[in-house]
Amino acid sequence: MNVTSKESLNRALIEAVRSGDKRKKTTLRLALAAIKNAEVNTGGALDEPAVLSLLQKEVKSRRETAAEAQSAGRADLVAEAEAEIAILEVFLPQPLDENALREIIESAVRESGAQTPGEMGSVMKIVMPKVQGRADGKRVSSLVREYLQG
């Protein structure tokens, strides 16, 4: 039986509580609260891609916090944000390497028949579900545009 990311988060939270790891406990509780809020807003349980998407948003938010703290000269906040990122990244799938991502994009371009940057949307509709949680959307968009421009 496959364990979902949400179940993994709950198990890790229990372990963090038992071990007394305050940072991990707080980070996991915040992530689970974001998932719970989304479930309340949608009126039902989230599927695995939606949970992964939420976890990515949590990581992205902490990266932005780290960048802001860095520019403010707050090394303590940078370290805290990076520690939280490390905790959350454990629950995300391994990112795709450049070659694998380009192969998926090439396949999607062939499948969609797109030839111009104006047809980028049809390629993105095929690519994004395949790379969900494993590649940054901005990076994917940039590579698709590059590929379609020839």
Side-chain angles (χ1 to χ4, degrees):
M1 183 176 134
N2 277 343
V3 177
T4 66
S5 296
K6 186 177 172 186
E7 291 168 341
S8 296
L9 285 165
N10 278 313
R11 290 177 183 173
L13 175 59
I14 291 168
E15 288 175 25
V17 169
R18 287 183 181 154
S19 70
D21 186 338
K22 289 181 182 180
R23 175 171 286 133
K24 191 172 188 178
K25 178 176 70 171
T26 302
T27 302
L28 295 174
R29 279 191 174 149
L30 287 171
L32 285 165
I35 293 167
K36 185 67 174 170
N37 284 339
E39 288 176 340
V40 168
N41 290 339
T42 60
L46 297 180
D47 60 3
E48 187 68 7
V51 170
L52 292 175
S53 178
L54 268 173
L55 288 176
Q56 280 184 306
K57 286 179 186 174
E58 292 291 314
V59 169
K60 182 179 179 184
S61 170
R62 283 160 176 82
R63 283 196 175 114
E64 290 168 355
T65 299
E68 290 171 9
Q70 182 76 36
S71 63
R74 294 286 311 267
D76 57 328
L77 295 179
V78 172
E80 188 175 314
E82 288 175 351
E84 291 178 3
I85 289 167
I87 290 167
L88 294 173
E89 282 183 334
V90 169
F91 302 95
L92 292 172
Q94 290 299 312
L96 289 168
D97 67 13
E98 189 79 10
N99 291 334
L101 186 53
R102 285 183 183 277
E103 287 176 19
I104 291 170
I105 290 169
E106 287 175 22
S107 171
V109 168
R110 282 192 303 274
E111 183 180 330
S112 70
Q115 296 178 355
T116 66
E119 298 170 292
M120 193 171 148
S122 63
V123 177
M124 293 296 287
K125 284 179 187 176
I126 296 168
V127 173
M128 289 312 290
K130 294 178 181 178
V131 301
Q132 187 70 38
R134 298 170 48 204
D136 178 57
K138 287 181 186 175
R139 180 71 183 134
V140 173
S141 176
S142 170
L143 288 172
V144 169
R145 186 175 296 110
E146 175 186 309
Y147 191 86
L148 291 174
Q149 288 175 342

